[in-house]
Amino acid sequence: MSVTDKSSVPVALTIAGSDSGGGAGIQADLRTFAFHCVHGTSAITCVTAQNTVLVTRVDALPVDAVVAQIEAVVTDIGVQAVKTGMLLTAEIIAAVAQQVEVLKLNNLVVDPVMVSRTGAVLINDEAMATLQNVLIPKATIVTPNRYEAQLLSGLQLHTLDDMRAAAQRIHQLGAKAVLVKGGGMQGNLRGVDVWFDGHKLETLKTAVVDTSNTHGTGCTLAAAIAANLALGCDRLSAVQKAKDYVTTALRYSLAIGQGQGPVGHFFPLLQGNTP
């Protein structure tokens, strides 16, 4: 596909929260789409006041405002893939799921932002239940981290076999494919993800990058998967390419602020300019 032909440029939509620190959320997603030469569009669900150290405030947008953003993009521009991130409330989650159905949105990548990779709960029980029962069944790929996979599967994850069992159980919720991420796992399971699509049960490994600046990795991975789907990749290839992208972005992660910096989404511009 030639990106010089305007009619051939694929479009992806991110439905997620704004990260004022620029490391995750909408900001990370749009940079990831741009890296892949995919035109990025957005529907903001909530606005956060955060930096590399902490989140000081989160404000949800009205449901009607979220729906209006999605409709505005899809009815005019059209999208080839959609990625969801922080949806925050049960009402927003339900509305997004309805839009996916009404607008017949394909290639839906659901990053089920429920629990951080350190185990901090991010949404309430009602929102969790709505995500599990209403949105995930519509997903092309769902990408839970260790703690989200535990909640969705009802299993505790300590071993590779646990991850495989969780992936298969989460698949029963209705998503076409599941990627259980091993970022929160310990020891030799760091950098190991498990893929299940109802047929293939694959263990996907990448090199472990030793950096504390990992803010936004989950958002970035899901956005990269969506970008590759928009480019026409099959589901598993989209995941494998996205994992490679995130691994390299981690190698060029940014030591900014006083806390956990973000990955280097634009690493080609950093190559040769970092130690």
Side-chain angles (χ1 to χ4, degrees), residues 140-163:
T140 303
I141 303 173
V142 59
T143 63
N145 64 27
R146 175 188 184 180
Y147 299 103
E148 291 159 348
Q150 288 181 162
L151 285 172
L152 292 171
S153 68
L155 302 173
Q156 292 297 307
L157 273 59
H158 300 289
T159 68
L160 182 58
D161 284 342
D162 294 338
M163 295 174 69

PDB file of all heavy atoms in Angstrom, residues 140-163:
ATOM      1  N   THR A 140     -12.493  -8.162  18.513  1.00  0.00           N
ATOM      2  CA  THR A 140     -11.693  -8.995  17.615  1.00  0.00           C
ATOM      3  C   THR A 140     -10.522  -9.587  18.394  1.00  0.00           C
ATOM      4  O   THR A 140     -10.196 -10.764  18.263  1.00  0.00           O
ATOM      5  CB  THR A 140     -11.163  -8.157  16.440  1.00  0.00           C
ATOM      6  OG1 THR A 140     -12.268  -7.565  15.762  1.00  0.00           O
ATOM      7  CG2 THR A 140     -10.349  -9.015  15.469  1.00  0.00           C
ATOM      8  N   ILE A 141      -9.889  -8.752  19.209  1.00  0.00           N
ATOM      9  CA  ILE A 141      -8.811  -9.174  20.097  1.00  0.00           C
ATOM     10  C   ILE A 141      -8.972  -8.434  21.414  1.00  0.00           C
ATOM     11  O   ILE A 141      -9.210  -7.220  21.424  1.00  0.00           O
ATOM     12  CB  ILE A 141      -7.420  -8.851  19.501  1.00  0.00           C
ATOM     13  CG1 ILE A 141      -7.232  -9.505  18.134  1.00  0.00           C
ATOM     14  CG2 ILE A 141      -6.300  -9.300  20.450  1.00  0.00           C
ATOM     15  CD1 ILE A 141      -5.955  -9.083  17.414  1.00  0.00           C
ATOM     16  N   VAL A 142      -8.842  -9.138  22.523  1.00  0.00           N
ATOM     17  CA  VAL A 142      -8.835  -8.517  23.840  1.00  0.00           C
ATOM     18  C   VAL A 142      -7.469  -8.764  24.463  1.00  0.00           C
ATOM     19  O   VAL A 142      -6.908  -9.852  24.333  1.00  0.00           O
ATOM     20  CB  VAL A 142      -9.983  -9.044  24.731  1.00  0.00           C
ATOM     21  CG1 VAL A 142      -9.903 -10.544  24.939  1.00  0.00           C
ATOM     22  CG2 VAL A 142      -9.998  -8.332  26.074  1.00  0.00           C
ATOM     23  N   THR A 143      -6.907  -7.746  25.140  1.00  0.00           N
ATOM     24  CA  THR A 143      -5.506  -7.807  25.564  1.00  0.00           C
ATOM     25  C   THR A 143      -5.347  -7.582  27.075  1.00  0.00           C
ATOM     26  O   THR A 143      -4.755  -6.580  27.499  1.00  0.00           O
ATOM     27  CB  THR A 143      -4.673  -6.758  24.803  1.00  0.00           C
ATOM     28  OG1 THR A 143      -5.157  -5.438  25.137  1.00  0.00           O
ATOM     29  CG2 THR A 143      -4.756  -6.970  23.301  1.00  0.00           C
ATOM     30  N   PRO A 144      -5.816  -8.483  27.912  1.00  0.00           N
ATOM     31  CA  PRO A 144      -5.705  -8.278  29.351  1.00  0.00           C
ATOM     32  C   PRO A 144      -4.284  -8.488  29.878  1.00  0.00           C
ATOM     33  O   PRO A 144      -3.556  -9.351  29.385  1.00  0.00           O
ATOM     34  CB  PRO A 144      -6.653  -9.339  29.922  1.00  0.00           C
ATOM     35  CG  PRO A 144      -6.609 -10.446  28.911  1.00  0.00           C
ATOM     36  CD  PRO A 144      -6.510  -9.741  27.576  1.00  0.00           C
ATOM     37  N   ASN A 145      -3.918  -7.690  30.883  1.00  0.00           N
ATOM     38  CA  ASN A 145      -2.680  -7.977  31.598  1.00  0.00           C
ATOM     39  C   ASN A 145      -2.944  -9.070  32.635  1.00  0.00           C
ATOM     40  O   ASN A 145      -4.049  -9.626  32.707  1.00  0.00           O
ATOM     41  CB  ASN A 145      -2.103  -6.703  32.229  1.00  0.00           C
ATOM     42  CG  ASN A 145      -3.014  -6.086  33.305  1.00  0.00           C
ATOM     43  OD1 ASN A 145      -3.797  -6.777  33.956  1.00  0.00           O
ATOM     44  ND2 ASN A 145      -2.910  -4.780  33.481  1.00  0.00           N
ATOM     45  N   ARG A 146      -1.938  -9.370  33.416  1.00  0.00           N
ATOM     46  CA  ARG A 146      -2.060 -10.481  34.366  1.00  0.00           C
ATOM     47  C   ARG A 146      -3.276 -10.326  35.281  1.00  0.00           C
ATOM     48  O   ARG A 146      -4.073 -11.265  35.431  1.00  0.00           O
ATOM     49  CB  ARG A 146      -0.794 -10.558  35.223  1.00  0.00           C
ATOM     50  CG  ARG A 146      -0.866 -11.606  36.316  1.00  0.00           C
ATOM     51  CD  ARG A 146       0.315 -11.515  37.261  1.00  0.00           C
ATOM     52  NE  ARG A 146       0.290 -12.573  38.258  1.00  0.00           N
ATOM     53  CZ  ARG A 146       1.219 -12.702  39.210  1.00  0.00           C
ATOM     54  NH1 ARG A 146       2.232 -11.854  39.273  1.00  0.00           N
ATOM     55  NH2 ARG A 146       1.120 -13.684  40.090  1.00  0.00           N
ATOM     56  N   TYR A 147      -3.432  -9.163  35.879  1.00  0.00           N
ATOM     57  CA  TYR A 147      -4.491  -8.974  36.875  1.00  0.00           C
ATOM     58  C   TYR A 147      -5.864  -8.900  36.228  1.00  0.00           C
ATOM     59  O   TYR A 147      -6.859  -9.383  36.789  1.00  0.00           O
ATOM     60  CB  TYR A 147      -4.192  -7.723  37.707  1.00  0.00           C
ATOM     61  CG  TYR A 147      -2.887  -7.841  38.455  1.00  0.00           C
ATOM     62  CD1 TYR A 147      -1.746  -7.186  38.010  1.00  0.00           C
ATOM     63  CD2 TYR A 147      -2.780  -8.664  39.576  1.00  0.00           C
ATOM     64  CE1 TYR A 147      -0.530  -7.321  38.672  1.00  0.00           C
ATOM     65  CE2 TYR A 147      -1.573  -8.810  40.253  1.00  0.00           C
ATOM     66  CZ  TYR A 147      -0.455  -8.135  39.789  1.00  0.00           C
ATOM     67  OH  TYR A 147       0.746  -8.286  40.446  1.00  0.00           O
ATOM     68  N   GLU A 148      -5.937  -8.306  35.047  1.00  0.00           N
ATOM     69  CA  GLU A 148      -7.199  -8.290  34.317  1.00  0.00           C
ATOM     70  C   GLU A 148      -7.589  -9.695  33.878  1.00  0.00           C
ATOM     71  O   GLU A 148      -8.767 -10.069  33.942  1.00  0.00           O
ATOM     72  CB  GLU A 148      -7.071  -7.353  33.114  1.00  0.00           C
ATOM     73  CG  GLU A 148      -6.955  -5.898  33.517  1.00  0.00           C
ATOM     74  CD  GLU A 148      -6.340  -5.003  32.455  1.00  0.00           C
ATOM     75  OE1 GLU A 148      -5.782  -5.525  31.468  1.00  0.00           O
ATOM     76  OE2 GLU A 148      -6.407  -3.768  32.629  1.00  0.00           O
ATOM     77  N   ALA A 149      -6.602 -10.471  33.463  1.00  0.00           N
ATOM     78  CA  ALA A 149      -6.873 -11.854  33.062  1.00  0.00           C
ATOM     79  C   ALA A 149      -7.372 -12.672  34.248  1.00  0.00           C
ATOM     80  O   ALA A 149      -8.229 -13.548  34.096  1.00  0.00           O
ATOM     81  CB  ALA A 149      -5.623 -12.488  32.468  1.00  0.00           C
ATOM     82  N   GLN A 150      -6.837 -12.392  35.424  1.00  0.00           N
ATOM     83  CA  GLN A 150      -7.308 -13.102  36.615  1.00  0.00           C
ATOM     84  C   GLN A 150      -8.779 -12.785  36.893  1.00  0.00           C
ATOM     85  O   GLN A 150      -9.579 -13.689  37.187  1.00  0.00           O
ATOM     86  CB  GLN A 150      -6.444 -12.726  37.828  1.00  0.00           C
ATOM     87  CG  GLN A 150      -5.050 -13.324  37.766  1.00  0.00           C
ATOM     88  CD  GLN A 150      -4.176 -12.992  38.971  1.00  0.00           C
ATOM     89  OE1 GLN A 150      -3.166 -13.655  39.215  1.00  0.00           O
ATOM     90  NE2 GLN A 150      -4.543 -11.978  39.736  1.00  0.00           N
ATOM     91  N   LEU A 151      -9.144 -11.514  36.768  1.00  0.00           N
ATOM     92  CA  LEU A 151     -10.535 -11.131  37.005  1.00  0.00           C
ATOM     93  C   LEU A 151     -11.467 -11.719  35.950  1.00  0.00           C
ATOM     94  O   LEU A 151     -12.554 -12.206  36.264  1.00  0.00           O
ATOM     95  CB  LEU A 151     -10.660  -9.605  37.011  1.00  0.00           C
ATOM     96  CG  LEU A 151     -10.146  -8.878  38.251  1.00  0.00           C
ATOM     97  CD1 LEU A 151     -10.151  -7.378  38.014  1.00  0.00           C
ATOM     98  CD2 LEU A 151     -10.997  -9.225  39.468  1.00  0.00           C
ATOM     99  N   LEU A 152     -11.044 -11.673  34.698  1.00  0.00           N
ATOM    100  CA  LEU A 152     -11.900 -12.135  33.609  1.00  0.00           C
ATOM    101  C   LEU A 152     -12.042 -13.655  33.576  1.00  0.00           C
ATOM    102  O   LEU A 152     -13.065 -14.178  33.142  1.00  0.00           O
ATOM    103  CB  LEU A 152     -11.348 -11.645  32.270  1.00  0.00           C
ATOM    104  CG  LEU A 152     -11.420 -10.129  32.034  1.00  0.00           C
ATOM    105  CD1 LEU A 152     -10.645  -9.746  30.778  1.00  0.00           C
ATOM    106  CD2 LEU A 152     -12.871  -9.668  31.938  1.00  0.00           C
ATOM    107  N   SER A 153     -11.000 -14.354  34.027  1.00  0.00           N
ATOM    108  CA  SER A 153     -11.026 -15.823  33.966  1.00  0.00           C
ATOM    109  C   SER A 153     -11.421 -16.476  35.277  1.00  0.00           C
ATOM    110  O   SER A 153     -11.834 -17.641  35.296  1.00  0.00           O
ATOM    111  CB  SER A 153      -9.645 -16.347  33.555  1.00  0.00           C
ATOM    112  OG  SER A 153      -8.693 -16.100  34.578  1.00  0.00           O
ATOM    113  N   GLY A 154     -11.272 -15.733  36.392  1.00  0.00           N
ATOM    114  CA  GLY A 154     -11.512 -16.328  37.698  1.00  0.00           C
ATOM    115  C   GLY A 154     -10.380 -17.223  38.170  1.00  0.00           C
ATOM    116  O   GLY A 154     -10.534 -17.965  39.137  1.00  0.00           O
ATOM    117  N   LEU A 155      -9.224 -17.136  37.478  1.00  0.00           N
ATOM    118  CA  LEU A 155      -8.071 -17.968  37.817  1.00  0.00           C
ATOM    119  C   LEU A 155      -6.936 -17.101  38.347  1.00  0.00           C
ATOM    120  O   LEU A 155      -6.819 -15.921  38.004  1.00  0.00           O
ATOM    121  CB  LEU A 155      -7.570 -18.725  36.577  1.00  0.00           C
ATOM    122  CG  LEU A 155      -8.573 -19.631  35.870  1.00  0.00           C
ATOM    123  CD1 LEU A 155      -7.966 -20.156  34.560  1.00  0.00           C
ATOM    124  CD2 LEU A 155      -8.977 -20.787  36.777  1.00  0.00           C
ATOM    125  N   GLN A 156      -6.082 -17.684  39.182  1.00  0.00           N
ATOM    126  CA  GLN A 156      -4.860 -17.016  39.610  1.00  0.00           C
ATOM    127  C   GLN A 156      -3.742 -17.384  38.639  1.00  0.00           C
ATOM    128  O   GLN A 156      -3.592 -18.554  38.283  1.00  0.00           O
ATOM    129  CB  GLN A 156      -4.482 -17.441  41.029  1.00  0.00           C
ATOM    130  CG  GLN A 156      -5.457 -16.950  42.094  1.00  0.00           C
ATOM    131  CD  GLN A 156      -5.483 -15.425  42.173  1.00  0.00           C
ATOM    132  OE1 GLN A 156      -4.448 -14.781  42.322  1.00  0.00           O
ATOM    133  NE2 GLN A 156      -6.682 -14.853  42.084  1.00  0.00           N
ATOM    134  N   LEU A 157      -2.963 -16.380  38.224  1.00  0.00           N
ATOM    135  CA  LEU A 157      -1.930 -16.615  37.221  1.00  0.00           C
ATOM    136  C   LEU A 157      -0.539 -16.576  37.861  1.00  0.00           C
ATOM    137  O   LEU A 157      -0.086 -15.522  38.311  1.00  0.00           O
ATOM    138  CB  LEU A 157      -2.013 -15.572  36.104  1.00  0.00           C
ATOM    139  CG  LEU A 157      -2.963 -15.886  34.938  1.00  0.00           C
ATOM    140  CD1 LEU A 157      -4.391 -16.064  35.412  1.00  0.00           C
ATOM    141  CD2 LEU A 157      -2.893 -14.803  33.876  1.00  0.00           C
ATOM    142  N   HIS A 158       0.106 -17.742  37.878  1.00  0.00           N
ATOM    143  CA  HIS A 158       1.460 -17.841  38.410  1.00  0.00           C
ATOM    144  C   HIS A 158       2.401 -18.535  37.421  1.00  0.00           C
ATOM    145  O   HIS A 158       3.604 -18.314  37.471  1.00  0.00           O
ATOM    146  CB  HIS A 158       1.465 -18.608  39.731  1.00  0.00           C
ATOM    147  CG  HIS A 158       0.624 -17.976  40.805  1.00  0.00           C
ATOM    148  ND1 HIS A 158       0.985 -16.803  41.433  1.00  0.00           N
ATOM    149  CD2 HIS A 158      -0.567 -18.352  41.344  1.00  0.00           C
ATOM    150  CE1 HIS A 158       0.049 -16.479  42.318  1.00  0.00           C
ATOM    151  NE2 HIS A 158      -0.901 -17.398  42.289  1.00  0.00           N
ATOM    152  N   THR A 159       1.850 -19.375  36.566  1.00  0.00           N
ATOM    153  CA  THR A 159       2.661 -20.169  35.650  1.00  0.00           C
ATOM    154  C   THR A 159       2.190 -19.981  34.213  1.00  0.00           C
ATOM    155  O   THR A 159       1.124 -19.401  33.957  1.00  0.00           O
ATOM    156  CB  THR A 159       2.560 -21.667  35.997  1.00  0.00           C
ATOM    157  OG1 THR A 159       1.215 -22.119  35.708  1.00  0.00           O
ATOM    158  CG2 THR A 159       2.879 -21.910  37.473  1.00  0.00           C
ATOM    159  N   LEU A 160       2.967 -20.500  33.280  1.00  0.00           N
ATOM    160  CA  LEU A 160       2.585 -20.443  31.874  1.00  0.00           C
ATOM    161  C   LEU A 160       1.303 -21.226  31.633  1.00  0.00           C
ATOM    162  O   LEU A 160       0.434 -20.789  30.866  1.00  0.00           O
ATOM    163  CB  LEU A 160       3.715 -20.989  31.002  1.00  0.00           C
ATOM    164  CG  LEU A 160       3.488 -20.951  29.487  1.00  0.00           C
ATOM    165  CD1 LEU A 160       3.230 -19.529  28.998  1.00  0.00           C
ATOM    166  CD2 LEU A 160       4.685 -21.556  28.758  1.00  0.00           C
ATOM    167  N   ASP A 161       1.152 -22.346  32.295  1.00  0.00           N
ATOM    168  CA  ASP A 161      -0.086 -23.124  32.153  1.00  0.00           C
ATOM    169  C   ASP A 161      -1.286 -22.328  32.655  1.00  0.00           C
ATOM    170  O   ASP A 161      -2.387 -22.425  32.079  1.00  0.00           O
ATOM    171  CB  ASP A 161       0.024 -24.443  32.912  1.00  0.00           C
ATOM    172  CG  ASP A 161       0.882 -25.472  32.182  1.00  0.00           C
ATOM    173  OD1 ASP A 161       1.103 -25.287  30.966  1.00  0.00           O
ATOM    174  OD2 ASP A 161       1.325 -26.445  32.816  1.00  0.00           O
ATOM    175  N   ASP A 162      -1.090 -21.541  33.717  1.00  0.00           N
ATOM    176  CA  ASP A 162      -2.168 -20.682  34.213  1.00  0.00           C
ATOM    177  C   ASP A 162      -2.574 -19.669  33.145  1.00  0.00           C
ATOM    178  O   ASP A 162      -3.766 -19.418  32.928  1.00  0.00           O
ATOM    179  CB  ASP A 162      -1.729 -19.926  35.471  1.00  0.00           C
ATOM    180  CG  ASP A 162      -1.479 -20.829  36.664  1.00  0.00           C
ATOM    181  OD1 ASP A 162      -2.016 -21.951  36.683  1.00  0.00           O
ATOM    182  OD2 ASP A 162      -0.742 -20.394  37.578  1.00  0.00           O
ATOM    183  N   MET A 163      -1.591 -19.076  32.485  1.00  0.00           N
ATOM    184  CA  MET A 163      -1.865 -18.086  31.439  1.00  0.00           C
ATOM    185  C   MET A 163      -2.621 -18.724  30.282  1.00  0.00           C
ATOM    186  O   MET A 163      -3.563 -18.133  29.736  1.00  0.00           O
ATOM    187  CB  MET A 163      -0.560 -17.463  30.950  1.00  0.00           C
ATOM    188  CG  MET A 163       0.176 -16.636  31.992  1.00  0.00           C
ATOM    189  SD  MET A 163       1.804 -16.058  31.418  1.00  0.00           S
ATOM    190  CE  MET A 163       1.339 -14.868  30.149  1.00  0.00           C
TER     191      MET A 163
END
